[in-house]
Amino acid sequence: MRTKNFFLVAAFIICGLVCVNSVKGQTAPAGTGDIKLNLVLHPVQSIVVNPGNVGDVVQLEYKNLNDYKQTTSSNSVEVQNQLTVFSTGKFTVSAKAADFIVNEGTTQAIPGIGTINLQARSNGGDYDKYISLKKEEQLLYSNDKGTTGTSGLGIDVTYSGAVENAYLNEQFFKKADGVSGVTTFESTITYSLYVN
């Protein structure tokens, strides 16, 4: 029993010496100081216009009589992910367009930009209303949730030209030499992002 007590006392002494030495190894700081840390998060908004159905162009084409009569895949084009929007808060997207100019050929008349309709939806969402293009901005799309993924929100846009023979006007095709030919009209659409 005495040997047991001896070993127990020896173990306590050794443990005490080790603990005292490890405490002595730690030195107290010569002084301390504090500094505040601020994490400042600024809201971020951006809009990117991605390519159209023909490279950097959205092209609506009327190739035959059916295209002039009714909506077809040539005169109504959906461009998926036409816009990519990132916004830390609610936002709206507006669109406006310049009047058509003749890009190729000469004509005696030019269609109005209001003959083109646009619709927008988030990827996988439903199309809501449509707008007829104007030179003034019009609300095209609104989102009351914002986007929190760094890849942003993809917005599909459908562009539709007029039907029911709206473009069958000989003045749109008449060239200086009197011969009817292919005519290309060009406009530029500007998309604007607004934060609510």
Side-chain angles (χ1 to χ4, degrees):
M1 185 74 154
R2 223 177 163 136
T3 339
K4 249 187 194 178
N5 285 341
F6 176 76
F7 283 121
L8 190 59
V9 169
F12 280 127
I13 291 172
I14 292 172
C15 180
L17 288 174
V18 168
C19 291
V20 166
N21 281 338
S22 67
V23 169
K24 281 185 181 178
Q26 296 176 353
T27 58
T32 62
D34 296 331
I35 190 167
K36 285 187 178 179
L37 170 66
N38 290 340
L39 175 63
V40 181
L41 304 176
H42 292 264
V44 176
Q45 291 78 31
S46 71
I47 185 168
V48 176
V49 181
N50 299 307
N53 64 324
V54 182
D56 289 335
V57 175
V58 174
Q59 185 160 301
L60 304 178
E61 199 161 1
Y62 292 74
K63 299 177 183 177
N64 55 51
L65 196 55
N66 195 44
D67 290 336
Y68 286 97
K69 285 183 180 179
Q70 60 192 3
T71 301
T72 67
S73 59
S74 292
N75 63 30
S76 182
V77 174
E78 178 184 75
V79 180
Q80 294 186 347
N81 290 313
Q82 176 70 92
L83 307 172
T84 302
V85 173
F86 181 85
S87 178
T88 50
K90 301 177 186 179
F91 67 90
T92 60
V93 175
S94 295
K96 67 178 180 179
D99 284 330
F100 277 121
I101 59 170
V102 180
N103 184 337
E104 181 182 309
T106 57
T107 64
Q108 294 184 352
I110 296 177
I113 193 63
T115 61
I116 305 296
N117 295 326
L118 267 59
Q119 286 183 292
R121 68 175 181 181
S122 60
N123 292 142
D126 294 323
Y127 280 110
D128 190 9
K129 62 183 177 73
Y130 71 89
I131 63 169
S132 296
L133 282 174
K134 294 181 180 177
K135 290 194 287 185
E136 301 81 29
E137 285 189 347
Q138 297 181 82
L139 175 65
L140 177 65
Y141 179 84
S142 63
N143 184 311
D144 60 359
K145 298 175 186 167
T147 62
T148 53
T150 53
S151 59
L153 174 70
I155 298 175
D156 303 333
V157 178
T158 294
Y159 302 81
S160 301
V163 292
E164 299 178 3
N165 303 327
Y167 297 136
L168 284 180
N169 177 342
E170 66 177 295
Q171 303 301 314
F172 296 157
F173 305 95
K174 205 167 210 177
K175 306 298 181 190
D177 57 9
V179 178
S180 178
V182 175
T183 307
T184 302
F185 299 98
E186 181 182 283
S187 175
T188 300
I189 298 172
T190 302
Y191 292 102
S192 298
L193 174 66
Y194 293 97
V195 180
N196 294 342

